[in-house]
Amino acid sequence: ASTVVLTGADGTEIPLTPTVLSMASLEVVLPADLAPGNYDLRAQKADKISNAVNISVLPVVSSAYALCRGTTVTVKGEGFSMFVDALNSGTGLSAVDRTGNSVACQVASWDDTMIMATCSACPSTVTVESIWGETVKRTRILQRRR
């Protein structure tokens, strides 16, 4: 009887039962609630263990909201990653106004769940391009308190 073991980066092992097993292939179904991250997948039979196959589960990139107050834009969401490098990798924040013209923005801070930027004007829409994917959100413009 062959088994498959999925090992997370933290060393946690998840045993999996093959759904298809033949001389040429072995298939398993990964758990639907598998957390984003990198995993090693190994087949096991008696005392023999295969070389690891690396599997990466990518996070969902989504934005909950985008707010603009003055020229400060805040985008809240998830899966943005901790990495921003607009010049070298194509990741970053872009924005457009109601007519579709580009609005210049400079990222002030960026983490996995929130981005803050200073823009030349309040954009109508912002696009976050992370290493995991892209999300677009219409911007709510907040009025300054008097």
Side-chain angles (χ1 to χ4, degrees):
S2 295
T3 61
V4 175
V5 177
L6 189 65
T7 307
D10 64 355
T12 303
E13 292 185 350
I14 302 168
L16 303 171
T17 304
T19 55
V20 174
L21 184 60
S22 72
M23 293 297 286
S25 69
L26 182 136
E27 293 180 20
V28 296
V29 175
L30 298 177
D33 61 349
L34 202 55
N38 293 320
Y39 297 85
D40 285 336
L41 184 74
R42 289 184 173 88
Q44 218 171 305
K45 184 170 183 177
D47 63 340
K48 306 293 185 217
I49 300 173
S50 72
N51 292 332
V53 173
N54 186 264
I55 294 176
S56 294
V57 177
L58 303 179
V60 172
V61 178
S62 66
S63 49
Y65 63 80
L67 302 174
C68 184
R69 177 170 287 171
T71 59
T72 301
V73 173
T74 304
V75 182
K76 185 76 172 143
E78 63 183 351
F80 298 156
S81 84
M82 300 292 284
F83 179 77
V84 58
D85 186 1
L87 293 176
N88 297 318
S89 70
T91 62
L93 179 116
S94 58
V96 295
D97 63 18
R98 287 188 332 253
T99 62
N101 292 320
S102 181
V103 174
C105 295
Q106 178 68 43
V107 173
S109 65
W110 179 302
D111 67 31
D112 193 52
T113 61
M114 188 167 64
I115 300 167
M116 294 189 72
T118 302
C119 298
S120 59
C122 270
S124 174
T125 304
V126 293
T127 301
V128 175
E129 298 172 44
S130 84
I131 59 174
W132 310 122
E134 174 180 293
T135 181
V136 178
K137 198 69 172 179
R138 292 193 60 66
T139 308
R140 272 189 40 216
I141 297 174
L142 301 176
Q143 301 299 320
R144 291 187 183 270
R145 292 190 177 121
R146 293 179 187 188

